[in-house]
Amino acid sequence: MSQDRPDIADLLATVQEFIDRITPKLEGEDRYHAQVSAYLLAICGRETRLGAPIAAAEQPRLAAFLGHDGAWPDLVRELSRDIRAGGCDGRWDAALDLVLFQVIDKVSVVRPDHLAQEHRSGHGPD
Amino acid sequence: MSGADPFADIKQAIRRRFGRSARIENIDVPTLGGSNRTVIFDLVESAGRRRLVSRQETYQAEDSPFRSPAEQFRVMRIAHGHGFPVPEPVFEYEPADGAGEGFVTGFVAGETMPKRILGSAEFAETRQHLAEQAGRLLAQLHSVPPGDCALLEPCADSIDALAAYRDRFDHYDEAHPAIELGLRWLHRNRPAPGKRVLVHGDFRLGNLMIGREGIRAVLDWECCHLGSGMEDLGWLCTRSWRFGHPELPVGGFGEKAALFAGYEAGGGSVDSAAVHWWEVFGLMRWAVLNMMQAHGHVLGGRRGVVFAACGRNTALVEYDLLMTLKGSYR
């Protein structure tokens, strides 16, 4: 689908500039909510850039760990059930690293500066 | 009367208890957010003037994990009766007040904002003693006879806190392998149940009224229940409550040795492995509570930017949880 100018990054930046301009004029709860809105908008910006490649990388990792192919939501549910039932107790460290990969990906979109330095490249745990 | 007086309910409740000539002045409505309406005011009556705080519940999810205002009020009264620093319970709203569920307590002046307590030079001296003082206070709270708080026995957190949070997590019906790993680790490493005590359940900066001399009052009793005292110590050390100072494990202001020394000086006995277990529990719990806010936002009809942000912030807590399980974070 092609769209006319401005592109999505520009739209987000434009709304961001507006929020930044009005935030100092606000007080109390409205000001706080404006700051949180800017935070949410920054998440949207990162998700439009990183969302597709992250989703593409996650599915094969999960499929390899579980030993069969499947749609991503089904695989995540299966992994969750496995962990609960004790099915990952025998390969705990591998499960921990697999899930850490997934969570680093989420945090890279939500708030990358929350990650420890070694995880900020967008790659998984060593 | 013309126009709607937003404080008519409080005024009516005051007149019902303190006489028709009683009035309220210097009304302040702090913007605290959350699911409570807070109003601070002077009660003026023949006996004199005193500053009070009204807290009214504005939102109650059918699956709320929190104690009702009536239960909070009763527990605050018990704690107050034992000399624990809690805002003095004054009265509870009744249906005839038309003020919904809530209560009025004495006002305690001070600072609750974690950033100011941890960052301001004004509190530099205060911070030196805060961990030790927190330990002493928790020991005092945990010495309240649990039999006095039998009203808390039926709540899910008193019966089995881990099962309570697993059930809440399941209710939100969203696959989170990180939370599953936390639940599994907690299940496999569960400490033997220690002494059963009154647990505050949310003892951390933000809920502590701080003055230069230290903790003046412990607020927000909506998570109180019966259980292990180590839960309060662990929650205070949970990484999410260090407010930008992760190197200081006790609330972002102190070392565990100081917290534990204060607890033992106050007559308590510390099981440090259990405290660590409750820290992991705290991360799991905080992740689930963030999911709860997102659930209320997406499906519960209680929408807002803060609740939306909580949903996405679940991932940040999951990250801390996994890094703690790996031994990378302490």
Side-chain angles (χ1 to χ4, degrees), chain B residues 138 141-142 199-203 228-236:
Chain B
L138 285 172
L141 178 69
H142 297 161
V199 175
H200 177 275
D202 203 5
F203 190 97
S228 164
M230 298 306 102
E231 177 174 354
D232 275 333
L233 299 181
W235 184 245
L236 180 60

Side-chain angles (χ1 to χ4, degrees), chain A:
Chain A
M1 184 179 64
S2 74
Q3 288 292 347
D4 305 324
R5 283 186 289 197
D7 65 15
I8 186 75
D10 189 300
L11 292 181
L12 290 168
T14 305
V15 181
Q16 178 76 61
E17 284 158 20
F18 171 72
I19 293 175
D20 290 346
R21 189 157 52 76
I22 62 163
T23 300
K25 299 177 189 168
L26 301 173
E27 285 180 12
E29 197 162 52
D30 284 342
R31 186 182 187 133
Y32 175 56
H33 287 179
Q35 289 164 340
V36 176
S37 300
Y39 176 74
L40 295 179
L41 212 53
I43 293 174
C44 296
R46 284 187 292 271
E47 188 157 322
T48 56
R49 281 182 284 118
L50 304 171
I54 282 174
E58 248 171 31
Q59 193 275 347
R61 266 201 317 259
L62 260 175
F65 184 85
L66 293 170
H68 64 85
D69 207 359
W72 182 83
D74 298 333
L75 296 177
V76 172
R77 291 247 172 218
E78 181 181 335
L79 175 65
S80 297
R81 278 194 307 271
D82 268 11
I83 294 168
R84 172 108 32 133
C88 294
D89 291 356
R91 46 175 183 159
W92 182 257
D93 290 343
L96 209 51
D97 279 345
L98 174 79
V99 177
L100 187 54
F101 256 118
Q102 183 222 0
V103 170
I104 289 168
D105 283 347
K106 290 199 288 186
V107 178
S108 302
V109 167
V110 175
R111 198 174 133 190
D113 65 1
H114 184 77
L115 296 168
Q117 203 58 47
E118 72 257 37
H119 296 146
R120 289 193 191 185
S121 57
H123 305 297
D126 301 324

Side-chain angles (χ1 to χ4, degrees), chain B residues 205-220:
Chain B
L205 288 190
N207 291 336
L208 302 176
M209 188 60 81
I210 304 286
R212 293 192 66 165
E213 76 283 12
I215 300 168
R216 287 181 180 160
V218 181
L219 317 175
D220 282 352

Side-chain angles (χ1 to χ4, degrees), chain B:
Chain B
M1 211 191 287
S2 67
D5 177 355
F7 307 110
D9 51 352
I10 298 174
K11 289 175 182 168
Q12 162 147 317
I14 289 292
R15 280 194 296 268
R16 285 187 68 231
R17 284 168 186 79
F18 298 96
R20 290 190 55 194
S21 63
R23 59 186 197 278
I24 67 175
E25 291 180 357
N26 296 326
I27 300 169
D28 184 27
V29 183
T31 50
L32 302 170
S35 43
N36 288 288
R37 174 192 191 216
T38 302
V39 180
I40 305 173
F41 57 87
D42 287 348
L43 162 64
V44 185
E45 51 163 342
S46 50
R49 176 188 291 264
R50 61 194 294 218
R51 198 132 179 90
L52 300 178
V53 181
S54 162
R55 239 173 98 104
Q56 292 161 280
E57 194 171 60
T58 53
Y59 174 81
Q60 173 77 63
E62 36 133 354
D63 54 332
S64 167
F66 305 121
R67 301 302 85 71
S68 69
E71 291 166 331
Q72 293 170 48
F73 187 79
R74 287 168 68 187
V75 173
M76 286 171 75
R77 190 171 259 173
I78 292 161
H80 187 258
H82 282 276
F84 191 74
V86 53
E88 182 191 348
V90 178
F91 69 86
E92 199 181 329
Y93 287 119
E94 296 166 357
D97 296 318
E101 288 209 42
F103 49 78
V104 171
T105 67
F107 172 78
V108 180
E111 183 59 76
T112 59
M113 292 284 290
K115 289 231 160 78
R116 283 190 213 139
I117 295 161
L118 296 180
S120 161
E122 185 194 347
F123 294 109
E125 177 73 18
T126 315
R127 289 193 292 270
Q128 301 288 313
H129 310 289
L130 214 45
E132 198 266 346
Q133 194 190 8
R136 276 181 191 271
L137 268 185
L138 285 172
Q140 186 189 348
L141 178 69
H142 297 161
S143 71
V144 171
D148 290 3
C149 309
L151 76 140
L152 294 174
E153 289 284 1
C155 84
D157 300 274
S158 296
I159 295 164
D160 183 340
L162 181 55
Y165 272 90
R166 190 200 55 218
D167 291 348
R168 285 164 195 152
F169 169 63
D170 285 346
H171 175 77
Y172 305 132
D173 192 31
E174 196 180 17
H176 283 256
I179 294 174
E180 293 289 356
L181 285 169
L183 288 169
R184 184 69 189 160
W185 185 91
L186 290 163
H187 175 72
R188 294 174 76 199
N189 293 279
R190 200 165 187 165
K195 209 174 96 190
R196 194 164 170 81
V197 302
L198 169 60
V199 175
H200 177 275
D202 203 5
F203 190 97
R204 50 142 180 117
L205 288 190
N207 291 336
L208 302 176
M209 188 60 81
I210 304 286
R212 293 192 66 165
E213 76 283 12
I215 300 168
R216 287 181 180 160
V218 181
L219 317 175
D220 282 352
W221 290 73
E222 57 194 6
C223 296
C224 67
H225 60 277
L226 298 174
S228 164
M230 298 306 102
E231 177 174 354
D232 275 333
L233 299 181
W235 184 245
L236 180 60
C237 296
T238 296
R239 199 178 176 89
S240 308
W241 304 125
R242 299 181 196 168
F243 300 100
H245 298 268
E247 72 286 359
L248 292 170
V250 182
F253 53 77
E255 297 294 341
K256 281 185 179 172
L259 174 72
F260 294 175
Y263 194 74
E264 296 191 332
S269 162
V270 175
D271 175 348
S272 60
V275 173
H276 175 71
W277 188 89
W278 284 106
E279 281 174 58
V280 174
F281 178 93
L283 291 165
M284 176 280 296
R285 173 187 172 199
W286 186 230
V288 172
L289 288 174
N290 275 279
M291 285 179 68
M292 175 190 79
Q293 303 292 22
H295 189 265
H297 174 80
V298 177
L299 299 164
R302 185 215 44 184
R303 297 181 63 78
V305 289
V306 176
F307 302 129
C310 283
R312 289 302 188 98
N313 285 348
T314 307
L316 313 183
V317 190
E318 289 180 342
Y319 179 77
D320 291 351
L321 170 63
L322 296 179
M323 291 293 274
T324 302
L325 289 179
K326 272 178 81 76
S328 303
Y329 277 173
R330 295 188 190 283

